[in-house]
Amino acid sequence: MSKLPKAKTADLVLQESGKELLLYNLKTNKAFCLNETSAIVYQACNGETTFAELKKRSHFSDELIFLALEELKRENLLEEIYASPFDGLS
């Protein structure tokens, strides 16, 4: 994976709370609270940042980044289709 998938921003209200990021989806009336790690990954999902850049800047392991991306995918917070390395694993 070269570039990170783009995160959804339309119809979302975002608010930083300490190191966490609170998101509220205006269409589904669903709220999300991203911990510090997931918030950093979400904010890096701008369509420009590469996986390697995020890894170098954050000092996160590959697995931690993939886990955060998987959570964002599961909660439908990514605009682009993201093929997780966890697909097919139980």
Side-chain angles (χ1 to χ4, degrees):
M1 167 190 314
S2 58
K3 289 190 179 181
L4 295 169
K6 190 167 178 148
K8 284 188 180 180
T9 55
D11 298 314
L12 287 177
V13 176
L14 295 104
Q15 181 177 350
E16 291 187 31
S17 177
K19 294 184 179 186
E20 296 178 332
L21 184 63
L22 306 173
L23 294 92
Y24 182 75
N25 187 320
L26 296 170
K27 284 189 174 182
T28 63
N29 293 322
K30 191 172 180 183
F32 305 94
C33 181
L34 302 181
N35 64 20
E36 180 180 6
T37 301
S38 293
I40 290 169
V41 173
Y42 175 84
Q43 291 168 331
C45 289
N46 57 15
E48 299 296 323
T49 305
T50 66
F51 188 88
E53 288 171 338
L54 174 60
K55 186 175 176 181
K56 182 177 180 181
R57 183 173 61 220
S58 65
H59 304 287
F60 294 158
S61 67
D62 290 356
E63 293 81 10
L64 189 58
I65 295 170
F66 286 134
L67 187 62
L69 287 170
E70 182 65 25
E71 182 178 345
L72 295 173
K73 176 184 172 184
R74 186 176 0 145
E75 296 299 341
N76 200 27
L77 294 172
L78 297 176
E79 281 186 11
E80 300 173 4
I81 295 173
Y82 163 67
S84 169
F86 299 123
D87 287 345
L89 296 178
S90 60

Coordinates of all heavy atoms in Angstrom, one line a residue:
M1 N 0.9 -1.2 0.0 CA 0.0 0.0 0.0 C 0.9 1.2 0.0 O 1.7 1.4 0.9 CB -0.9 0.0 1.3 CG -1.6 1.3 1.5 SD -2.4 1.5 3.1 CE -3.2 -0.1 3.3
S2 N 0.7 2.1 -1.0 CA 1.5 3.3 -1.0 C 0.8 4.4 -0.3 O 1.3 4.9 0.8 CB 1.8 3.7 -2.5 OG 0.6 3.9 -3.2
K3 N -0.3 4.9 -0.8 CA -1.0 6.0 -0.1 C -2.1 5.4 0.8 O -2.7 4.4 0.5 CB -1.6 6.9 -1.1 CG -0.6 7.8 -1.8 CD -1.2 8.9 -2.6 CE -0.1 9.7 -3.2 NZ -0.6 10.8 -4.0
L4 N -2.4 6.1 1.9 CA -3.4 5.7 2.8 C -4.8 6.0 2.1 O -4.9 6.9 1.4 CB -3.3 6.4 4.1 CG -2.1 6.1 4.9 CD1 -2.0 7.1 6.1 CD2 -2.2 4.7 5.5
P5 N -5.8 5.2 2.5 CA -7.1 5.6 1.9 C -7.6 6.9 2.4 O -7.2 7.3 3.5 CB -8.0 4.4 2.3 CG -7.4 3.9 3.5 CD -5.9 4.1 3.3
K6 N -8.5 7.5 1.7 CA -9.0 8.8 2.1 C -10.2 8.6 3.1 O -11.0 7.8 2.9 CB -9.5 9.6 0.9 CG -9.9 11.0 1.2 CD -10.0 11.9 0.0 CE -10.4 13.2 0.5 NZ -10.0 14.3 -0.3
A7 N -10.1 9.4 4.2 CA -11.1 9.3 5.2 C -12.4 10.1 4.8 O -12.3 11.2 4.1 CB -10.6 9.9 6.6
K8 N -13.5 9.7 5.3 CA -14.8 10.5 5.1 C -14.7 11.7 5.9 O -14.3 11.7 7.1 CB -16.0 9.6 5.5 CG -16.3 8.6 4.5 CD -17.6 8.0 4.8 CE -18.0 6.9 3.8 NZ -19.2 6.2 4.0
T9 N -15.2 12.8 5.4 CA -15.3 14.1 6.1 C -16.7 14.7 5.9 O -17.1 15.5 6.7 CB -14.2 15.1 5.7 OG1 -14.2 15.3 4.3 CG2 -12.8 14.6 6.1
A10 N -17.3 14.3 4.8 CA -18.7 14.9 4.5 C -19.7 14.4 5.6 O -19.7 13.3 5.9 CB -19.1 14.5 3.1
D11 N -20.5 15.3 6.0 CA -21.6 15.0 6.9 C -21.1 14.5 8.3 O -21.7 13.8 9.0 CB -22.6 14.0 6.4 CG -23.3 14.5 5.1 OD1 -23.7 15.7 5.2 OD2 -23.4 13.8 4.1
L12 N -19.8 14.9 8.6 CA -19.2 14.6 9.9 C -18.9 15.9 10.7 O -18.4 16.8 10.1 CB -18.0 13.7 9.8 CG -18.1 12.3 9.3 CD1 -16.7 11.7 9.2 CD2 -18.9 11.5 10.3
V13 N -19.2 15.9 11.9 CA -18.7 16.9 12.8 C -17.6 16.4 13.6 O -17.7 15.3 14.2 CB -19.9 17.4 13.7 CG1 -19.4 18.5 14.7 CG2 -21.0 17.9 12.9
L14 N -16.4 17.1 13.6 CA -15.3 16.6 14.3 C -14.9 17.6 15.4 O -15.0 18.8 15.3 CB -14.1 16.5 13.4 CG -14.2 15.5 12.2 CD1 -14.5 16.2 10.9 CD2 -12.9 14.8 12.1
Q15 N -14.5 17.0 16.6 CA -14.1 17.8 17.7 C -13.0 17.1 18.4 O -13.1 15.9 18.8 CB -15.3 18.0 18.7 CG -14.9 18.9 19.8 CD -16.1 19.2 20.7 OE1 -17.2 18.9 20.4 NE2 -15.8 19.7 21.9
E16 N -11.9 17.8 18.6 CA -10.8 17.2 19.4 C -11.1 17.3 20.9 O -11.6 18.4 21.3 CB -9.5 17.9 19.0 CG -9.0 17.6 17.6 CD -7.6 18.1 17.3 OE1 -6.8 18.2 18.2 OE2 -7.4 18.4 16.1
S17 N -10.8 16.3 21.6 CA -11.0 16.3 23.0 C -9.7 15.6 23.6 O -9.6 14.4 23.7 CB -12.2 15.4 23.4 OG -12.4 15.4 24.8
G18 N -8.8 16.5 24.0 CA -7.5 16.0 24.5 C -6.8 15.4 23.3 O -6.6 16.0 22.3
K19 N -6.4 14.1 23.5 CA -5.7 13.4 22.4 C -6.7 12.5 21.6 O -6.3 11.8 20.7 CB -4.6 12.5 23.0 CG -3.5 13.3 23.6 CD -2.4 12.5 24.1 CE -1.3 13.3 24.7 NZ -0.1 12.6 25.1
E20 N -8.0 12.5 22.0 CA -9.0 11.8 21.3 C -9.7 12.7 20.3 O -9.6 13.9 20.3 CB -10.0 11.2 22.3 CG -9.4 10.2 23.2 CD -10.5 9.7 24.2 OE1 -11.4 10.4 24.5 OE2 -10.3 8.6 24.7
L21 N -10.4 12.0 19.3 CA -11.1 12.7 18.3 C -12.5 12.2 18.3 O -12.8 11.0 18.2 CB -10.5 12.5 16.9 CG -11.1 13.3 15.7 CD1 -10.9 14.8 15.9 CD2 -10.4 12.8 14.4
L22 N -13.5 13.1 18.5 CA -14.9 12.8 18.5 C -15.5 13.1 17.2 O -15.3 14.2 16.6 CB -15.6 13.6 19.6 CG -15.1 13.5 21.0 CD1 -15.8 14.4 21.9 CD2 -15.2 12.1 21.5
L23 N -16.2 12.2 16.6 CA -16.8 12.3 15.3 C -18.3 12.1 15.5 O -18.7 11.1 16.1 CB -16.3 11.4 14.3 CG -14.8 11.5 13.9 CD1 -13.9 10.7 14.7 CD2 -14.6 11.2 12.4
Y24 N -19.1 12.9 14.8 CA -20.6 12.7 14.8 C -21.0 12.7 13.4 O -20.8 13.7 12.7 CB -21.3 13.8 15.6 CG -22.8 13.6 15.7 CD1 -23.3 12.6 16.5 CD2 -23.6 14.3 14.9 CE1 -24.7 12.4 16.6 CE2 -25.0 14.1 15.0 CZ -25.5 13.1 15.8 OH -26.9 12.9 15.8
N25 N -21.7 11.6 13.0 CA -22.2 11.5 11.6 C -23.6 12.0 11.6 O -24.5 11.5 12.2 CB -22.2 10.0 11.2 CG -22.6 9.8 9.8 OD1 -23.4 10.5 9.2 ND2 -21.9 8.9 9.1
L26 N -23.8 13.1 10.8 CA -25.1 13.8 10.8 C -26.1 13.0 10.0 O -27.3 13.2 10.3 CB -24.9 15.2 10.1 CG -24.0 16.2 10.8 CD1 -23.7 17.4 9.9 CD2 -24.6 16.6 12.1
K27 N -25.7 12.1 9.1 CA -26.7 11.3 8.4 C -27.2 10.1 9.2 O -28.4 9.8 9.2 CB -26.1 10.7 7.1 CG -26.0 11.8 6.0 CD -25.6 11.1 4.7 CE -25.6 12.1 3.6 NZ -25.3 11.5 2.3
T28 N -26.3 9.5 10.0 CA -26.8 8.3 10.7 C -27.0 8.5 12.2 O -27.4 7.6 12.9 CB -25.7 7.2 10.6 OG1 -24.5 7.6 11.2 CG2 -25.4 6.8 9.1
N29 N -26.7 9.8 12.6 CA -26.8 10.1 14.0 C -26.0 9.2 14.9 O -26.5 8.8 16.0 CB -28.3 10.2 14.5 CG -29.1 11.3 13.8 OD1 -28.5 12.4 13.6 ND2 -30.3 11.0 13.4
K30 N -24.9 8.8 14.5 CA -24.0 7.9 15.2 C -22.7 8.7 15.6 O -22.2 9.4 14.8 CB -23.6 6.7 14.3 CG -23.0 5.6 15.1 CD -22.8 4.4 14.3 CE -22.1 3.3 15.0 NZ -21.9 2.1 14.2
A31 N -22.3 8.5 16.8 CA -21.1 9.1 17.3 C -19.9 8.1 17.4 O -20.2 7.0 17.7 CB -21.3 9.8 18.7
F32 N -18.7 8.6 17.2 CA -17.5 7.8 17.3 C -16.5 8.5 18.2 O -16.4 9.7 18.1 CB -16.9 7.5 16.0 CG -17.8 6.9 15.0 CD1 -18.5 7.7 14.1 CD2 -18.0 5.6 14.9 CE1 -19.4 7.2 13.2 CE2 -18.9 5.0 14.0 CZ -19.6 5.8 13.1
C33 N -15.8 7.8 19.0 CA -14.7 8.4 19.7 C -13.4 7.6 19.4 O -13.3 6.4 19.7 CB -14.9 8.3 21.3 SG -13.6 9.0 22.2
L34 N -12.5 8.3 18.7 CA -11.3 7.6 18.3 C -10.2 7.9 19.3 O -10.0 9.1 19.7 CB -10.8 8.2 16.9 CG -11.8 8.0 15.7 CD1 -11.2 8.6 14.5 CD2 -12.2 6.6 15.5
N35 N -9.5 6.9 19.7 CA -8.4 7.1 20.7 C -7.3 7.8 20.0 O -7.3 8.0 18.8 CB -8.0 5.7 21.3 CG -7.4 4.8 20.3 OD1 -7.0 5.1 19.2 ND2 -7.4 3.5 20.7
E36 N -6.2 8.1 20.7 CA -5.1 8.8 20.1 C -4.5 8.2 18.8 O -4.3 8.9 17.8 CB -4.0 9.0 21.2 CG -2.8 9.8 20.7 CD -1.7 10.0 21.7 OE1 -1.8 9.4 22.8 OE2 -0.8 10.7 21.5
T37 N -4.3 6.9 18.9 CA -3.7 6.2 17.7 C -4.6 6.3 16.5 O -4.2 6.6 15.4 CB -3.4 4.7 18.1 OG1 -2.5 4.7 19.2 CG2 -2.8 4.0 17.0
S38 N -5.9 5.9 16.7 CA -6.9 5.9 15.6 C -7.1 7.3 15.1 O -7.2 7.5 13.9 CB -8.2 5.3 16.0 OG -8.1 4.0 16.3
A39 N -7.0 8.3 16.0 CA -7.2 9.7 15.5 C -6.0 10.1 14.6 O -6.2 10.8 13.6 CB -7.3 10.6 16.7
I40 N -4.8 9.7 15.0 CA -3.6 10.1 14.2 C -3.7 9.4 12.8 O -3.5 10.1 11.8 CB -2.3 9.7 14.9 CG1 -2.1 10.6 16.1 CG2 -1.1 9.7 14.0 CD1 -1.0 10.1 17.1
V41 N -4.1 8.2 12.8 CA -4.3 7.5 11.5 C -5.4 8.1 10.7 O -5.2 8.4 9.5 CB -4.5 5.9 11.7 CG1 -4.8 5.3 10.4 CG2 -3.3 5.3 12.4
Y42 N -6.6 8.4 11.3 CA -7.7 9.0 10.6 C -7.2 10.4 10.0 O -7.5 10.6 8.8 CB -8.8 9.3 11.6 CG -10.0 10.0 11.0 CD1 -11.0 9.4 10.2 CD2 -10.1 11.4 11.1 CE1 -12.0 10.1 9.7 CE2 -11.2 12.1 10.6 CZ -12.1 11.4 9.8 OH -13.2 12.1 9.3
Q43 N -6.5 11.2 10.7 CA -6.1 12.5 10.2 C -5.1 12.3 9.1 O -5.0 13.2 8.3 CB -5.6 13.3 11.4 CG -6.7 13.8 12.3 CD -6.3 14.4 13.6 OE1 -5.2 14.0 14.1 NE2 -7.1 15.2 14.2
A44 N -4.3 11.2 9.1 CA -3.3 11.0 8.0 C -4.0 10.5 6.8 O -3.4 10.6 5.7 CB -2.3 10.0 8.5
C45 N -5.2 10.1 6.9 CA -6.0 9.5 5.7 C -6.6 10.7 4.9 O -7.8 10.9 4.8 CB -7.1 8.6 6.1 SG -6.4 7.0 6.8
N46 N -5.7 11.4 4.3 CA -6.1 12.6 3.5 C -5.9 12.4 2.0 O -6.1 13.3 1.2 CB -5.3 13.8 4.0 CG -3.8 13.6 3.8 OD1 -3.3 12.7 3.2 ND2 -3.0 14.4 4.5
G47 N -5.6 11.2 1.6 CA -5.4 10.9 0.2 C -4.0 11.3 -0.4 O -3.7 11.0 -1.5
E48 N -3.2 11.9 0.5 CA -1.8 12.3 0.1 C -0.7 11.6 0.9 O 0.3 11.3 0.4 CB -1.7 13.8 0.3 CG -2.6 14.6 -0.6 CD -2.4 14.5 -2.1 OE1 -1.2 14.3 -2.5 OE2 -3.4 14.4 -2.8
T49 N -1.0 11.3 2.2 CA 0.0 10.7 3.0 C 0.2 9.2 2.7 O -0.7 8.5 2.5 CB -0.4 10.8 4.5 OG1 -0.7 12.2 4.8 CG2 0.6 10.2 5.5
T50 N 1.5 8.8 2.6 CA 1.8 7.4 2.3 C 1.9 6.6 3.6 O 2.1 7.2 4.7 CB 3.1 7.3 1.5 OG1 4.2 7.7 2.4 CG2 3.1 8.1 0.3
F51 N 1.8 5.3 3.5 CA 1.9 4.4 4.6 C 3.3 4.7 5.3 O 3.4 4.8 6.5 CB 1.7 3.0 4.2 CG 1.6 2.0 5.3 CD1 0.4 1.7 5.9 CD2 2.8 1.4 5.8 CE1 0.4 0.8 6.9 CE2 2.7 0.5 6.8 CZ 1.5 0.2 7.4
A52 N 4.3 4.7 4.5 CA 5.7 4.9 5.0 C 5.8 6.2 5.7 O 6.5 6.3 6.8 CB 6.7 4.8 3.9
E53 N 5.2 7.3 5.2 CA 5.3 8.6 5.9 C 4.7 8.6 7.3 O 5.2 9.1 8.2 CB 4.6 9.7 5.1 CG 5.4 10.1 3.8 CD 4.5 11.0 2.9 OE1 3.3 11.0 3.0 OE2 5.2 11.7 2.1
L54 N 3.5 7.9 7.3 CA 2.8 7.8 8.6 C 3.6 7.0 9.6 O 3.8 7.4 10.8 CB 1.4 7.2 8.5 CG 0.6 6.9 9.7 CD1 0.4 8.2 10.6 CD2 -0.7 6.2 9.5
K55 N 4.1 5.9 9.1 CA 4.9 5.0 10.0 C 6.2 5.7 10.5 O 6.5 5.7 11.7 CB 5.4 3.8 9.2 CG 6.1 2.7 10.0 CD 6.3 1.5 9.2 CE 7.2 0.5 10.0 NZ 7.5 -0.7 9.3
K56 N 6.8 6.5 9.7 CA 8.0 7.2 10.1 C 7.7 8.4 11.1 O 8.3 8.5 12.1 CB 8.7 7.8 8.9 CG 10.0 8.5 9.2 CD 10.7 9.0 7.9 CE 12.0 9.7 8.2 NZ 12.7 10.3 7.0
R57 N 6.6 9.1 10.8 CA 6.2 10.2 11.6 C 5.7 9.8 13.0 O 6.0 10.5 14.0 CB 5.2 11.0 10.8 CG 4.7 12.3 11.5 CD 3.8 13.1 10.6 NE 2.6 12.4 10.2 CZ 2.0 12.5 9.0 NH1 2.6 13.2 8.1 NH2 0.9 11.8 8.8
S58 N 4.9 8.7 13.0 CA 4.2 8.3 14.2 C 5.0 7.3 15.0 O 4.7 7.1 16.2 CB 2.8 7.8 13.9 OG 3.0 6.6 13.2
H59 N 5.9 6.6 14.4 CA 6.7 5.5 15.0 C 5.7 4.3 15.3 O 6.0 3.5 16.3 CB 7.5 5.9 16.2 CG 8.4 7.0 15.9 ND1 9.6 6.8 15.2 CD2 8.4 8.3 16.2 CE1 10.2 8.0 15.0 NE2 9.5 8.9 15.6
F60 N 4.6 4.2 14.6 CA 3.7 3.0 14.8 C 4.2 1.9 14.0 O 4.8 2.0 12.9 CB 2.3 3.4 14.3 CG 1.5 4.5 15.1 CD1 0.5 5.1 14.5 CD2 1.9 4.8 16.4 CE1 -0.2 6.1 15.2 CE2 1.2 5.8 17.1 CZ 0.2 6.4 16.5
S61 N 3.9 0.7 14.5 CA 4.2 -0.6 13.8 C 3.2 -0.7 12.6 O 2.1 -0.1 12.6 CB 4.2 -1.8 14.7 OG 2.8 -2.0 15.1
D62 N 3.6 -1.6 11.7 CA 2.6 -1.8 10.5 C 1.3 -2.4 11.1 O 0.3 -2.0 10.6 CB 3.2 -2.9 9.6 CG 4.4 -2.4 8.8 OD1 4.8 -1.2 8.9 OD2 5.0 -3.2 8.1
E63 N 1.4 -3.3 12.0 CA 0.2 -3.9 12.6 C -0.7 -2.9 13.2 O -1.9 -3.0 13.1 CB 0.6 -5.0 13.6 CG 1.3 -6.2 12.9 CD 2.8 -6.0 12.7 OE1 3.4 -5.0 13.2 OE2 3.4 -6.8 12.0
L64 N -0.1 -2.0 14.0 CA -1.0 -1.0 14.7 C -1.7 -0.1 13.6 O -2.9 0.2 13.8 CB -0.1 -0.1 15.6 CG -0.8 0.8 16.5 CD1 -1.8 0.0 17.4 CD2 0.2 1.5 17.4
I65 N -1.0 0.3 12.6 CA -1.6 1.1 11.5 C -2.7 0.3 10.9 O -3.8 0.8 10.6 CB -0.6 1.6 10.5 CG1 0.4 2.6 11.2 CG2 -1.3 2.3 9.3 CD1 1.6 2.9 10.4
F66 N -2.5 -1.0 10.5 CA -3.5 -1.8 9.9 C -4.7 -2.0 10.8 O -5.8 -2.0 10.3 CB -2.9 -3.1 9.5 CG -2.0 -3.1 8.3 CD1 -0.8 -3.7 8.3 CD2 -2.3 -2.4 7.1 CE1 0.1 -3.7 7.2 CE2 -1.5 -2.3 6.0 CZ -0.3 -3.0 6.0
L67 N -4.4 -2.2 12.1 CA -5.5 -2.3 13.0 C -6.4 -1.1 13.1 O -7.6 -1.2 13.1 CB -5.0 -2.7 14.4 CG -6.0 -3.1 15.5 CD1 -6.8 -4.3 15.0 CD2 -5.3 -3.3 16.8
A68 N -5.8 0.1 13.1 CA -6.6 1.3 13.1 C -7.3 1.5 11.8 O -8.5 1.9 11.9 CB -5.6 2.5 13.4
L69 N -6.7 1.2 10.7 CA -7.4 1.3 9.4 C -8.6 0.3 9.4 O -9.7 0.7 8.8 CB -6.4 1.0 8.3 CG -5.4 2.1 7.9 CD1 -4.4 1.6 6.9 CD2 -6.1 3.4 7.4
E70 N -8.4 -0.9 9.9 CA -9.5 -1.9 9.9 C -10.7 -1.3 10.8 O -11.8 -1.5 10.4 CB -9.0 -3.2 10.5 CG -10.0 -4.3 10.6 CD -10.4 -4.7 9.2 OE1 -9.7 -4.6 8.2 OE2 -11.6 -5.2 9.1
E71 N -10.4 -0.7 11.9 CA -11.5 -0.1 12.7 C -12.2 1.0 11.9 O -13.4 1.1 12.0 CB -10.9 0.4 14.0 CG -12.0 1.0 14.9 CD -11.4 1.5 16.2 OE1 -10.3 1.1 16.6 OE2 -12.1 2.2 16.9
L72 N -11.4 1.9 11.3 CA -12.0 2.9 10.5 C -12.9 2.4 9.4 O -14.0 2.9 9.1 CB -11.0 3.9 9.9 CG -10.1 4.7 10.9 CD1 -9.0 5.4 10.3 CD2 -11.0 5.6 11.7
K73 N -12.4 1.3 8.7 CA -13.2 0.7 7.7 C -14.5 0.1 8.2 O -15.6 0.2 7.6 CB -12.3 -0.4 7.0 CG -13.1 -1.3 6.0 CD -12.2 -2.4 5.5 CE -12.9 -3.3 4.6 NZ -12.1 -4.5 4.2
R74 N -14.4 -0.6 9.3 CA -15.6 -1.3 10.0 C -16.6 -0.2 10.3 O -17.8 -0.5 10.2 CB -15.1 -2.0 11.2 CG -16.2 -2.9 11.8 CD -15.7 -3.7 13.0 NE -14.3 -3.4 13.1 CZ -13.5 -3.3 14.2 NH1 -14.0 -3.5 15.3 NH2 -12.3 -3.0 14.2
E75 N -16.2 1.0 10.8 CA -17.1 2.0 11.2 C -17.6 2.9 10.0 O -18.2 3.9 10.2 CB -16.5 2.8 12.3 CG -16.3 2.1 13.6 CD -17.5 1.5 14.2 OE1 -18.7 1.9 13.9 OE2 -17.4 0.6 15.0
N76 N -17.1 2.5 8.8 CA -17.5 3.2 7.6 C -17.0 4.7 7.6 O -17.7 5.6 7.2 CB -19.0 3.2 7.3 CG -19.4 3.5 5.9 OD1 -18.6 3.2 5.0 ND2 -20.6 4.0 5.7
L77 N -15.8 4.9 8.0 CA -15.2 6.2 8.1 C -14.1 6.4 7.0 O -13.4 7.4 7.0 CB -14.6 6.4 9.5 CG -15.6 6.5 10.6 CD1 -14.8 6.5 12.0 CD2 -16.5 7.7 10.5
L78 N -14.1 5.5 6.0 CA -13.2 5.7 4.9 C -14.0 5.8 3.6 O -14.9 5.1 3.4 CB -12.2 4.5 4.8 CG -11.3 4.2 6.0 CD1 -10.5 2.9 5.7 CD2 -10.3 5.4 6.2
E79 N -13.6 6.8 2.8 CA -14.2 7.0 1.5 C -13.9 6.0 0.5 O -14.7 5.5 -0.3 CB -13.9 8.4 0.9 CG -14.6 9.5 1.5 CD -14.4 10.8 0.9 OE1 -13.7 10.9 -0.2 OE2 -14.8 11.9 1.4
E80 N -12.6 5.6 0.5 CA -12.1 4.7 -0.6 C -12.2 3.2 -0.1 O -12.1 3.0 1.1 CB -10.6 5.0 -0.9 CG -10.5 6.5 -1.4 CD -9.1 6.9 -1.6 OE1 -8.2 6.1 -1.4 OE2 -8.9 8.0 -2.0
I81 N -12.2 2.3 -1.0 CA -12.2 0.9 -0.7 C -10.8 0.6 -0.2 O -9.8 0.9 -0.8 CB -12.6 0.1 -1.9 CG1 -14.0 0.4 -2.4 CG2 -12.4 -1.4 -1.6 CD1 -14.4 -0.3 -3.7
Y82 N -10.8 -0.1 0.9 CA -9.5 -0.5 1.6 C -9.5 -2.0 1.7 O -10.4 -2.5 2.4 CB -9.4 0.2 2.9 CG -8.4 -0.3 3.8 CD1 -7.0 -0.3 3.5 CD2 -8.7 -1.0 5.0 CE1 -6.1 -0.8 4.3 CE2 -7.8 -1.5 5.8 CZ -6.5 -1.4 5.5 OH -5.5 -2.0 6.3
A83 N -8.5 -2.6 1.1 CA -8.4 -4.1 1.2 C -7.4 -4.3 2.4 O -6.2 -4.1 2.3 CB -7.8 -4.6 -0.1
S84 N -8.0 -4.8 3.5 CA -7.3 -5.0 4.7 C -6.5 -6.3 4.6 O -6.9 -7.3 4.0 CB -8.3 -5.1 5.9 OG -7.6 -5.6 7.0
P85 N -5.3 -6.3 5.2 CA -4.5 -7.6 5.2 C -5.2 -8.6 6.2 O -4.8 -9.7 6.2 CB -3.1 -7.1 5.7 CG -3.3 -5.8 6.4 CD -4.5 -5.2 5.8
F86 N -6.2 -8.1 7.0 CA -6.9 -9.0 7.9 C -8.1 -9.7 7.2 O -8.7 -10.6 7.8 CB -7.4 -8.2 9.1 CG -6.2 -7.6 9.9 CD1 -6.2 -6.3 10.2 CD2 -5.2 -8.4 10.5 CE1 -5.2 -5.7 10.9 CE2 -4.2 -7.8 11.2 CZ -4.2 -6.5 11.4
D87 N -8.4 -9.3 6.0 CA -9.6 -9.9 5.3 C -9.3 -11.4 5.2 O -8.2 -11.9 4.8 CB -9.8 -9.3 3.9 CG -10.3 -7.9 4.0 OD1 -10.8 -7.5 5.1 OD2 -10.3 -7.2 3.0
G88 N -10.3 -12.2 5.6 CA -10.2 -13.6 5.5 C -9.6 -14.3 6.7 O -9.6 -15.5 6.8
L89 N -9.2 -13.5 7.7 CA -8.6 -14.1 8.9 C -9.7 -14.2 10.0 O -10.6 -13.3 10.1 CB -7.5 -13.3 9.5 CG -6.2 -13.2 8.6 CD1 -5.2 -12.3 9.2 CD2 -5.6 -14.6 8.4
S90 N -9.7 -15.2 10.8 CA -10.7 -15.3 11.9 C -10.0 -15.2 13.2 O -8.8 -15.3 13.3 CB -11.5 -16.6 11.8 OG -10.6 -17.7 11.9

